[in-house]
């Protein structure tokens, strides 16, 4: 190479080197130097800032969460990417499915964080996750429609084991009144009808359970069924003798119910199930679930990235090997486990390591999704770096965290580079 060519090469590389030095080398060097100084930046602190990485409770919690992120997020995203790539290989709509799965990659972390903050909202009316969870729960264990119902003034009912029970035994042929209050008219079930006075039936215990909403003197009568009052449809009634339930029934839409002669002389109980608070789902952003919930949002974004790379690697797998394995009697699971996965091992390693580098720097999702009450429980090193540097005014500790993160990323990056070079040589 002549001197002229070296000059031309240097001139072409100079802008890139200047940018690289200004945007990468200088900040890294300055962070390393700053990590050895105290809060003011004037006094030399030695390795005190690095000691804080292992003594500060907030940083230790962030480090623990980073370990959880590194172990689970890349693994789950890569596994889902592998499954999607393999399963969509043989279907017509595979390309459309891959497009849908990859689409979240086009969304910024900020937008994804806002989306999942709403998805994980505690209120099932707003949060999709709890809407689904509550729907499944209520399919197998229906919630009560009357959680606030309770006896009013001069009521024949008294508290009993979370529910209510009559003060006196009931008799066949004598209609029983079970008035309750506490449920707003607009909160009553849609199938609730106007309450009706129970009819007398020989040898049977009949009665009415209704919303005894007395509106005032001359309008409503306390303890009696009025025209404007509604029954409690579906409420369970139990007849109890000597502490044992001898019979039970459900209230009709108009509030009436009927029990056989077995209930004669028994106490009527409204069990606690009638007044159970409606199931409100899981606290996705609470202290115990916030980290898995945020990891779930990350997997939603990056599973498409893993799928596309793995699908590209799968396209290069020799079909002769797969067909030969099938001819030899291997089923699809054996082909997948013994042929496909080993041949895709280099691609899987690159994808996993790339995602590991990415999750070590995760910040946006944690900062946006985790509410203030549980942000400490979801803390990661990048978020702790931001806190120390900008909220708590500890630039020395923040620089030490930055250097520590760099040291964690470098080995993973080197592994990835060596892998890529080895693949190029092949």
């Amino acid at each position: 190479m002549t001197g002229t060519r070296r000059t031309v090469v240097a001139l072409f590389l100079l802008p890139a080197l200047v940018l690289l030095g200004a945007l990468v080398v200088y900040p890294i060097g300055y962070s390393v130097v700053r990590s050895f100084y105290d809060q003011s930046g004037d006094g030399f602190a030695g390795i005190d800032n690095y000691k804080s990485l292992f003594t500060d409770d907030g940083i230790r919690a962030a480090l623990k969460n980073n370990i959880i992120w590194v172990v689970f997020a890349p693994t789950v995203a890569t596994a889902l990417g592998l499954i999607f790539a393999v399963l969509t290989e043989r279907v017509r709509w595979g390309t459309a499915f891959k497009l849908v799965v990859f689409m979240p990659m086009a969304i910024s972390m900020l937008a994804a964080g806002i989306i999942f903050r709403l998805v994980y909202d505690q209120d099932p009316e707003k949060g999709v996750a709890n809407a689904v969870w509550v729907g499944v729960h209520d399919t197998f264990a229906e919630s009560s429609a009357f959680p606030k119902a309770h006896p009013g003034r001069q009521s024949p009912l008294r508290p009993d084991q979370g529910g209510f029970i009559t003060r006196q035994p009931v008799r066949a042929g004598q209609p029983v009144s079970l008035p309750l209050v506490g449920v707003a008219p607009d909160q009553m079930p849609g199938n609730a009808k106007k309450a009706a006075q129970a009819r007398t039936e020989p040898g049977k215990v009949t009665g009415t359970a209704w919303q005894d909403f007395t509106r005032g003197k001359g309008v409503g009568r306390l303890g009696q069924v009025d025209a404007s009052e509604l029954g409690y449809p579906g409420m369970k009634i139990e007849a109890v003798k000597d502490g044992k339930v001898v019979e039970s029934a459900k209230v009709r839409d108009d509030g009436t119910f009927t029990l056989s002669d077995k209930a004669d002389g028994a106490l009527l109980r409204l069990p606690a199930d009638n007044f159970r608070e409606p199931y409100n789902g899981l606290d996705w952003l609470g202290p115990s679930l916030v980290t898995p919930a945020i990891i779930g949002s990350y997997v939603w974004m990056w599973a498409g990235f893993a799928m596309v790379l793995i699908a590209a690697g799968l396209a290069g797998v020799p079909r002769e090997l797969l067909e030969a394995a099938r001819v030899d009697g291997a089923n699809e699971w054996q082909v997948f486990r013994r042929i496909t996965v080993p041949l895709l091992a280099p691609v899987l390693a690159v994808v996993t390591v790339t995602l590991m580098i990415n999750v070590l720097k995760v910040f946006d999702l944690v900062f946006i999704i985790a509410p203030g009450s549980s942000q400490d429980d979801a803390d990661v090193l990048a978020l702790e770096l931001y806190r120390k540097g900008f909220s708590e005014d500890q630039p020395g500790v923040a620089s030490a965290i930055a250097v520590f993160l760099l040291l964690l990323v470098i080995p993973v990056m080197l592994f990835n580079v060596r892998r890529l070079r080895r693949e190029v040589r092949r």
Side-chain angles (χ1 to χ4, degrees), residues 80 160 177 185 311 319 346:
L80 284 177
D160 177 73
S177 295
R319 302 297 161 181

Side-chain angles (χ1 to χ4, degrees), residues 284-346:
W284 295 101
L285 299 182
S288 58
L289 291 178
V290 62
T291 295
I294 300 173
I295 290 176
S297 66
Y298 177 88
V299 170
W300 175 77
M301 289 192 69
W302 287 87
F305 167 81
M307 178 194 66
V308 170
L309 293 187
I310 294 171
L314 190 61
V317 172
R319 302 297 161 181
E320 298 80 9
L321 295 177
L322 304 179
E323 295 302 326
R326 294 188 181 101
V327 170
D328 289 342
N331 57 37
E332 291 301 322
W333 168 246
Q334 291 172 326
V335 171
F336 173 76
R337 185 165 60 91
R338 297 181 179 276
I339 306 295
T340 305
V341 172
L343 289 176
L344 288 175

Side-chain angles (χ1 to χ4, degrees), residues 127-378:
V128 175
N130 264 343
V132 174
W133 192 264
V134 170
V136 173
H137 174 274
D138 289 350
T139 301
F140 299 98
E142 187 176 354
S143 299
S144 169
F146 319 106
K148 303 297 183 183
H150 61 274
R153 294 174 293 158
Q154 303 175 17
S155 175
L157 297 167
R158 60 178 174 82
D160 177 73
Q161 301 178 11
F164 305 100
I165 196 168
T166 55
R167 300 177 188 272
Q168 302 295 330
V170 298
R171 296 297 175 186
Q174 299 178 5
V176 182
S177 295
L178 301 178
L180 294 168
V181 296
V183 182
D186 60 345
Q187 298 296 320
M188 292 292 287
N191 60 329
K193 296 181 179 179
K194 290 184 178 181
Q197 189 68 45
R199 298 179 180 179
T200 301
E201 295 186 31
K204 295 184 179 181
V205 174
T206 59
T208 304
W210 83 102
Q211 173 78 350
D212 188 22
F213 186 67
T214 302
R215 298 175 183 276
K217 187 176 180 180
V219 179
R221 297 163 296 169
L222 185 65
Q224 298 184 37
V225 177
D226 296 313
S228 61
E229 295 169 348
L230 300 174
Y232 281 118
M235 182 170 282
K236 188 177 181 181
I237 308 290
E238 294 178 342
V240 181
K241 286 184 178 180
D242 301 324
K244 296 182 179 179
V245 178
V246 296
E247 191 178 5
S248 64
K250 283 195 174 183
V251 175
R252 303 182 187 95
D253 291 350
D254 62 358
T256 59
F257 60 89
T258 303
L259 296 165
S260 69
D261 57 355
K262 293 180 182 179
D264 186 32
L267 297 174
L268 296 189
R269 181 171 67 191
L270 306 179
D273 289 350
N274 291 318
F275 313 102
R276 185 176 57 243
E277 289 287 341
Y279 183 66
N280 206 36
L282 297 176
D283 188 7
W284 295 101
L285 299 182
S288 58
L289 291 178
V290 62
T291 295
I294 300 173
I295 290 176
S297 66
Y298 177 88
V299 170
W300 175 77
M301 289 192 69
W302 287 87
F305 167 81
M307 178 194 66
V308 170
L309 293 187
I310 294 171
L314 190 61
V317 172
R319 302 297 161 181
E320 298 80 9
L321 295 177
L322 304 179
E323 295 302 326
R326 294 188 181 101
V327 170
D328 289 342
N331 57 37
E332 291 301 322
W333 168 246
Q334 291 172 326
V335 171
F336 173 76
R337 185 165 60 91
R338 297 181 179 276
I339 306 295
T340 305
V341 172
L343 289 176
L344 288 175
V347 178
L348 296 176
V350 170
V351 171
T352 304
V353 171
T354 302
L355 293 178
M356 286 174 65
I357 295 172
N358 190 268
V359 300
L360 281 171
K361 305 178 293 180
V362 68
F363 166 79
D364 317 59
L365 291 176
V366 180
F367 183 72
I368 297 166
I369 296 177
S373 58
S374 58
Q375 200 167 81
D376 288 342
D377 300 283

Side-chain angles (χ1 to χ4, degrees), residues 19-157:
L19 288 175
L20 189 65
L23 300 179
V24 178
V25 178
Y26 173 75
I28 291 175
Y30 182 80
S31 296
V32 172
V33 173
R34 189 65 183 82
S35 66
F36 291 103
Y37 283 82
D38 59 14
Q39 183 174 343
S40 66
D42 299 326
F44 186 74
I47 61 172
D48 290 346
N49 292 327
Y50 289 94
K51 288 181 180 179
S52 298
L53 300 180
F54 305 99
T55 57
D56 185 279
D57 290 338
I59 299 176
R60 288 167 62 185
L63 182 59
K64 182 192 74 173
N65 285 333
N66 261 104
I67 293 173
I68 295 173
W69 272 88
V70 169
V71 171
F72 290 101
T75 304
V76 175
T78 304
L80 284 177
L82 175 62
I83 293 170
F84 292 155
V86 172
L87 292 182
T88 57
E89 188 185 21
R90 298 183 181 180
V91 296
R92 291 182 180 178
W93 43 268
T95 303
F97 179 82
K98 290 176 183 178
L99 178 63
V100 171
V101 175
F102 188 76
M103 197 175 294
M105 285 293 299
I107 302 174
S108 68
M109 286 282 195
L110 173 64
I114 294 173
I115 290 170
F116 275 88
R117 181 66 182 267
L118 296 174
V119 167
Y120 292 133
D121 195 287
Q122 179 68 35
D123 186 356
E125 298 293 330
K126 300 178 183 177
V128 175
N130 264 343
V132 174
W133 192 264
V134 170
V136 173
H137 174 274
D138 289 350
T139 301
F140 299 98
E142 187 176 354
S143 299
S144 169
F146 319 106
K148 303 297 183 183
H150 61 274
R153 294 174 293 158
Q154 303 175 17
S155 175
L157 297 167

